[in-house]
Amino acid sequence: MSRSGPKIILLVVFLVAAGSGAAATNLDKRMLGNLLQISTSLERAGRLEDAIQVLLPHYQDARVLNRLFDLYSKNGKPAEFLALAEKEYSGEPEDELLLAVYLRALGAVGLDDSLAHVGRRYIARSPQEEMRYRLVAGQLRRSGSPERALGLCLEARKVLGRPGILRRETAEVLIDLGRFDQAMDELLSYLESNPNELPVVQRQAYRILDQGEPGSSLLVERLEKALAGVSSKQYGSALLAMSVDIDLTLGRSDQSFARLRELLDGMAPGQAGGRLALFIARALKLENYALVLRAYTLADSLGLMDRGKALLEKAEIRLRMGEVEGAEGELLELAARREDKKLRVQAMRRLGEMYLEWVDRPADALRWYRELEKTGGAEDLDLGEMKLKIAQSFIRLGQLHEARSLCDNLLAAGRENPGDFARILLVKADLHFYLGEPDSASAAYSAAAKFLIGEPEANDVLERVYLIQNDKSPGAVISSRVGRALYQALCGNLQEAAGQFQETLQLAADSAYRAQLYYQMGRMYEAAGEFP
């Protein structure tokens, strides 16, 4: 049994006992929360029947009954639930949630006629309430009866004498039925009366957009027509905002940007800044980086964003686009600005990362990290780790003496963390090995191994110590050649390295020692991602 098993059982027993008397129609908030939490835990554990039994004594609470519908459906017993829901609803209560659950239950077993009958009976009790039409029409739609739902929406307009009601619901059903032009009529009328409901309208517009070229063409055409005849400023702004997003989604960058500029005209700076931030976020999500750069330039020109922040953001985007030179120019400009230390520090840090990770210029990276130390902007950076990466980059580029100097400086500075100190020693040991200095390499590897006891890499370190210390060749030529071969492999010259290994194997007579050479050769191929 899992560790949480006994707790769940005890709580289940308590809840069932609490509900063993007359079931309350309205549970208090705490009791309801406990019931729903336990039912969810049991459901996640695959114990659907237990989850049902926990809730069943309290089914007269409509919120519990609503949750039971989900559990019975997942358990493959919708008909059994229908009997329970029908029993509870038999008194024709006015509880909207209870009605909704009952209608869902009827729809789940395919009794659409009964669903429509019960819904109409509910409406007939108070036919002047718009909410009743909305509730029943919505359930008819969700149950797969869009034609009936549409008929009910249109009937509500006629009965209530208000042609402008239920436009959103009518549009949803029309989209279900593929009648997109009529749906747009409803959506645009709804937006004109409710310009603050743009997200609701936009969600439905995207359903039309998802239909492919016919849907997208219709949507663009209707939006352009609506914009041409708009009279209300608030409605016009809502239409423009939707056009910006739709054009952006369709890849119509120029049209989207033009609409954005039109939308920003006349907006207060705070509101315009928020709208521009939304545009940038959306364009980033779509990976339309060229358009993001245009948006940052626009923000700068309109004074909606600090120039320093705009430079930093544009540099990040240029790096994503692979435009390293452009990013470098913007970061250098920002690093030269003295008025904002925080942004300047960020620019220097990014320059260091860019030179190290994007263009393999470790000397430039080191220069900016040293500049960070001078300005006092390196408090949240592990500069030791950064400089160690720089040393490794020097090694890759063949600048071994620069790497050695940097490692010596790091070792002289001292490291409080033994693991960090060991990594510096390992890089220094590799340097000696690559330079054909096996004795110095062995000493550095042995020193590092003391800090790495119990760590996975300790075995590899000790294998190299063994290779060097057991080299019986004159002048330690074997281990010297192995170090140079591994360096060739590190620099990408795998075939040359393999050839050197083959030649070196001819110099080793002892079979155990030859096995060690094969091991080093195998690790070389593994590091290169090749397994011959």
Side-chain angles (χ1 to χ4, degrees):
M1 180 179 289
S2 67
R3 188 177 296 178
S4 62
K7 294 180 182 178
I8 292 177
I9 290 173
L10 286 173
L11 191 48
V12 168
V13 170
F14 167 75
L15 291 171
V16 172
S20 59
T25 55
N26 287 298
L27 298 170
D28 64 71
K29 186 175 180 180
R30 183 178 179 183
M31 183 66 171
L32 177 66
N34 285 336
L35 281 165
L36 296 179
Q37 183 180 355
I38 292 300
S39 70
T40 300
S41 297
L42 290 169
E43 180 188 357
R44 287 174 180 167
R47 297 162 59 183
L48 288 172
E49 192 59 43
D50 289 338
I52 289 171
Q53 292 307 315
V54 167
L55 296 178
L56 204 52
H58 309 275
Y59 74 90
Q60 288 178 313
D61 187 307
R63 297 166 297 178
V64 174
L65 194 66
N66 188 50
R67 171 70 176 133
L68 278 168
F69 173 78
D70 295 329
L71 293 171
Y72 271 98
S73 298
K74 289 177 182 177
N75 208 24
K77 299 179 179 180
E80 189 174 322
F81 176 81
L82 176 60
L84 186 68
E86 193 166 27
K87 175 184 175 184
E88 187 59 20
Y89 186 75
S90 60
E92 297 189 12
E94 290 294 304
D95 189 318
E96 295 172 22
L97 179 56
L98 186 55
L99 170 70
V101 175
Y102 183 42
L103 294 179
R104 287 174 71 195
L106 288 167
V109 295
L111 297 177
D112 294 343
D113 289 340
S114 297
L115 189 159
H117 174 71
V118 171
R120 286 196 170 277
R121 191 171 60 185
Y122 172 71
I123 291 170
R125 292 172 64 87
S126 187
Q128 299 308 310
E129 292 185 15
E130 176 186 335
M131 171 274 299
R132 294 184 176 238
Y133 288 98
R134 177 176 288 110
L135 188 152
V136 176
Q139 192 53 57
L140 282 167
R141 175 177 172 255
R142 284 186 289 274
S143 297
S145 300
E147 288 284 5
R148 282 176 167 165
L150 177 60
L152 197 59
C153 288
L154 299 178
E155 179 184 315
R157 295 178 180 182
K158 184 177 180 181
V159 171
L160 300 178
R162 293 158 56 198
I165 65 172
L166 300 180
R167 288 201 179 278
R168 186 188 69 188
E169 292 78 8
T170 303
E172 291 174 348
V173 177
L174 286 167
I175 294 172
D176 292 340
L177 295 169
R179 294 156 64 175
F180 303 130
D181 200 32
Q182 291 174 279
M184 284 301 300
D185 288 337
E186 300 291 340
L187 286 175
L188 292 172
S189 295
Y190 179 73
L191 186 62
E192 186 172 13
S193 303
N194 305 274
N196 292 327
E197 292 292 317
L198 176 61
V200 173
V201 174
Q202 206 155 295
R203 278 197 298 274
Q204 298 307 315
Y206 267 98
R207 292 180 60 209
I208 297 175
L209 201 65
D210 289 341
Q211 304 305 311
E213 199 281 328
S216 59
S217 296
L218 171 69
L219 190 56
V220 169
E221 180 186 338
R222 292 301 305 271
L223 284 174
E224 289 179 350
K225 184 178 178 181
L227 279 165
V230 71
S231 55
S232 162
K233 181 179 179 181
Q234 199 173 5
Y235 176 46
S237 294
L239 284 172
L240 277 172
M242 187 157 70
S243 293
V244 167
D245 198 65
I246 295 297
D247 282 334
L248 185 57
T249 302
L250 292 172
R252 293 156 45 97
S253 298
D254 291 340
Q255 294 90 333
S256 180
F257 194 72
R259 294 294 192 198
L260 175 68
R261 298 201 63 155
E262 188 178 349
L263 177 63
L264 296 180
D265 284 346
M267 275 189 174
Q271 188 180 9
R275 177 60 63 181
L276 196 55
L278 288 173
F279 179 83
I280 289 172
R282 179 71 175 143
L284 277 173
K285 187 174 182 180
L286 295 171
E287 298 184 359
N288 193 336
Y289 298 134
L291 195 57
V292 173
L293 289 176
R294 292 174 69 184
Y296 276 120
T297 301
L298 177 62
D300 187 23
S301 68
L302 296 177
L304 299 176
M305 182 180 288
D306 174 75
R307 176 164 174 76
K309 184 178 179 183
L311 283 169
L312 187 63
E313 297 289 350
K314 286 168 69 176
E316 293 291 345
I317 297 304
R318 290 195 191 282
L319 284 176
R320 291 195 196 186
M321 298 171 71
E323 296 180 1
V324 177
E325 288 186 8
E328 181 184 28
E330 285 165 340
L331 289 172
L332 287 172
E333 180 183 341
L334 185 55
R337 291 162 59 99
R338 301 278 176 178
E339 59 270 27
D340 191 331
K341 179 182 175 182
K342 185 177 180 181
L343 281 175
R344 187 166 175 255
V345 163
Q346 287 180 273
M348 288 191 288
R349 176 179 181 172
R350 199 67 180 105
L351 278 166
E353 292 172 348
M354 183 189 74
Y355 287 132
L356 183 60
E357 297 172 7
W358 288 77
V359 289
D360 250 345
R361 288 162 56 182
D364 288 326
L366 183 59
R367 178 169 66 87
W368 283 108
Y369 284 131
R370 283 176 174 159
E371 190 67 26
L372 270 173
E373 287 179 311
K374 292 178 187 176
T375 60
E379 295 85 354
D380 62 337
L381 298 178
D382 185 348
L383 282 182
E385 181 69 25
M386 300 286 186
K387 289 178 180 178
L388 192 58
K389 288 182 179 178
I390 290 171
Q392 292 166 329
S393 185
F394 275 134
I395 293 172
R396 280 198 317 274
L397 294 173
Q399 301 172 34
L400 302 185
H401 294 292
E402 289 87 342
R404 174 182 284 181
S405 175
L406 185 52
C407 284
D408 287 340
N409 289 337
L410 288 170
L411 289 170
R415 304 288 284 171
E416 295 181 4
N417 188 321
D420 292 341
F421 194 74
R423 283 197 292 274
I424 301 169
L425 279 172
L426 282 178
V427 174
K428 184 72 183 296
D430 286 342
L431 270 168
H432 287 303
F433 203 32
Y434 298 153
L435 285 165
E437 302 169 354
D439 290 340
S440 298
S442 177
Y445 281 133
S446 297
K450 295 176 182 178
F451 294 98
L452 296 173
I453 294 174
E455 298 294 328
E457 60 263 45
N459 186 59
D460 284 339
V461 173
L462 291 174
E463 293 284 0
R464 290 195 177 180
V465 172
Y466 173 88
L467 176 78
I468 295 168
Q469 292 183 351
N470 288 275
D471 183 2
K472 306 301 182 185
S473 62
V477 66
I478 292 179
S479 51
S480 295
R481 289 172 65 101
V482 169
R484 292 194 181 98
L486 291 175
Y487 182 57
Q488 289 295 329
L490 179 69
C491 295
N493 304 320
L494 193 62
Q495 294 303 318
E496 183 177 341
Q500 290 185 22
F501 261 109
Q502 293 293 347
E503 293 175 8
T504 305
L505 281 165
Q506 307 305 315
L507 302 177
D510 181 68
S511 60
Y513 193 75
R514 284 169 61 83
Q516 179 56 226
L517 291 177
Y518 277 117
Y519 174 80
Q520 293 294 332
M521 193 175 180
R523 292 309 300 265
M524 176 189 75
Y525 279 120
E526 183 181 4
E530 294 191 18
F531 302 90

